[in-house]
Amino acid sequence: MLKEFREFALKGSVLDLAIGVIIGAAFGKIVTSLVEDVIMPPIGLLLGKVDFGSLFIDLSGKHPSSLAEAKAMGAATLNYGNFLQNVIAFLIVAFVVFLAVRAINRFKREQPKTADSKVCPFCQTGIALLATRCPACTSELSPGDPERSEGSLR
């Protein structure tokens, strides 16, 4: 069992996944800083000097004047400002991932399709290229006849 686990853990795909998680965590910190320190302050300024990190709804009835005071009192709060910041961070990460996948897909080359099957001239069933008899109608065929391949226009 230990040998099987070692083989699983050392596969390339598992290592690639681990590297992706580490880079993703670092990228997440950068995006969090971008949202909290660069994007949200100007948006808050445009909306009347609002600090999104301090927006909350008091659920305890103690009426704290700030989020820090509510936390010090142990009051129950809905921190919707933090939620808004996290939603914006998520949208930025999702957009960057979309752009990365789009760029990678653009660079992928399509593999040329090779004919690996042919069409039976009698019943029009797709069959293996090297088949000498059709499995559907049992007609005898010549193996690898290029004129009868599925990709052919003839």
Side-chain angles (χ1 to χ4, degrees), residues 6-56:
R6 187 184 70 204
E7 288 175 10
F8 168 76
L10 296 179
K11 282 185 180 178
S13 58
V14 174
L15 293 174
D16 291 344
L17 178 64
I19 291 168
V21 167
I22 292 167
I23 290 174
F27 182 69
K29 289 181 181 181
I30 291 170
V31 170
T32 300
S33 175
L34 174 71
V35 170
E36 291 177 0
D37 302 329
V38 178
I39 293 175
M40 295 311 282
I43 291 174
L45 185 64
L46 290 173
L47 296 175
K49 297 183 180 180
V50 176
D51 178 18
F52 283 89
S54 65
L55 296 177
F56 70 100

Side-chain angles (χ1 to χ4, degrees), residues 2-4 10 20 27-28 30 32 35 38 45 52-53 60 66-67 71 75 78 84 92 96 105 120 125 139 144 147:
L2 185 61
K3 181 181 175 184
E4 287 177 297
L10 296 179
F27 182 69
I30 291 170
T32 300
V35 170
V38 178
L45 185 64
F52 283 89
S60 67
S66 69
L67 182 60
K71 286 185 179 183
L78 284 176
L84 289 174
I92 290 172
V96 169
N105 286 341
C120 174
T125 302
S139 300
E147 291 186 14

